[in-house]
Each structure stands twice: as C-alpha cells, then as structure tokens.
Amino acid sequence: MPVRMRVTTGAVADGSQALELIEGIEAEHLLADKGYDSDAVVLEVSKRGMNPVIPPRRSRKEQREYDTYLYRLRHLVENGFCELKEWRGIAMRYAKKVSSYLANCQNRAIAIWAKVI
C-alpha cells in the first residue's frame, strides 16, 4: 500500500515525481516500471544505497541490467492500486477538489492498511 501520495495533472509524467516520493525512505531496492527510467532517478536511487529495479527503456543506447525476478514482484504494487480503486469514489473521481480526492485516497489507504474494510 502507498506510503506517500501525490496528485498531479494528467499531463505530468509519473517519473518526474519519483525523487520527491522516495525522499527520506530507506530501502534495499526500488521497484518501478519503465516510466521511471531516467538517469536522474537511477543515479539518485543508487546514491541513496538502493538498488534500482527498473527495466530500461528501449530507446536507451546502453541497456542497463536489472533483477528480473524482483521486477516480477512489482505486480503487488499494481494490486495495491487496484485495491484502492475498488472504492468507487476514487475510481470515478467524484471529489471536485484535489484536496478532497487526496483525502479520499489517504482514507482508503489507511483502511486497507488496517484491513477495516
């Protein structure tokens, strides 16, 4: 389940938010999809002592190695998003304000963490 959340406009790439989202988090590995494959993210993650498990984009001149076994476990992250979206208010974005939408997402994440719902 999510530890941090950010709401951005539809045209903002996910990878641009990665460094702010992992700020202050310690982990052995960072699992992410190709959308997060940038030199800045990989370098910063490596500086923090994490192993970036991010498949390289096809357009990269030098393909980087990554742990394919660990990457297969990334489906658990996607399952977490699916569980968040099971709540219709989040999936359909009924909230009119960004702050209300983010609060709904956070409340749902807390409920999932606590296994209340």
Side-chain angles (χ1 to χ4, degrees):
M1 283 293 48
V3 178
R4 294 190 179 139
M5 295 182 196
R6 293 197 65 149
V7 178
T8 60
T9 62
V12 175
D14 293 343
S16 66
Q17 305 300 309
L19 296 178
E20 293 176 29
L21 289 171
I22 64 170
E23 185 68 38
I25 293 178
E26 294 183 23
E28 289 182 36
H29 306 281
L30 173 73
L31 278 68
D33 61 10
K34 290 181 181 184
Y36 294 89
D37 179 35
S38 72
D39 292 334
V41 171
V42 171
L43 182 65
E44 186 62 31
V45 167
S46 298
K47 279 184 189 175
R48 295 180 187 190
M50 292 184 228
N51 177 28
V53 182
I54 306 170
R57 294 182 182 168
R58 289 183 190 187
S59 61
R60 274 193 175 270
K61 290 182 181 178
E62 293 181 27
Q63 294 292 308
R64 188 174 22 79
E65 294 289 323
Y66 68 99
D67 190 336
T68 55
Y69 175 76
L70 277 179
Y71 184 72
R72 282 188 227 142
L73 297 177
R74 200 182 67 76
H75 79 278
L76 298 171
V77 174
E78 297 300 329
N79 292 353
F81 285 115
C82 289
E83 200 166 342
L84 268 176
K85 291 178 180 180
E86 282 179 6
W87 193 23
R88 190 171 179 206
I90 293 174
M92 302 305 291
R93 298 186 181 210
Y94 287 142
K96 300 292 182 205
K97 295 184 178 182
V98 172
S99 59
S100 298
Y101 180 73
L102 183 59
N104 287 336
C105 291
Q106 291 168 337
N107 285 336
R108 178 68 176 161
I110 290 168
I112 293 168
W113 271 102
K115 292 291 182 190
V116 173
I117 297 176

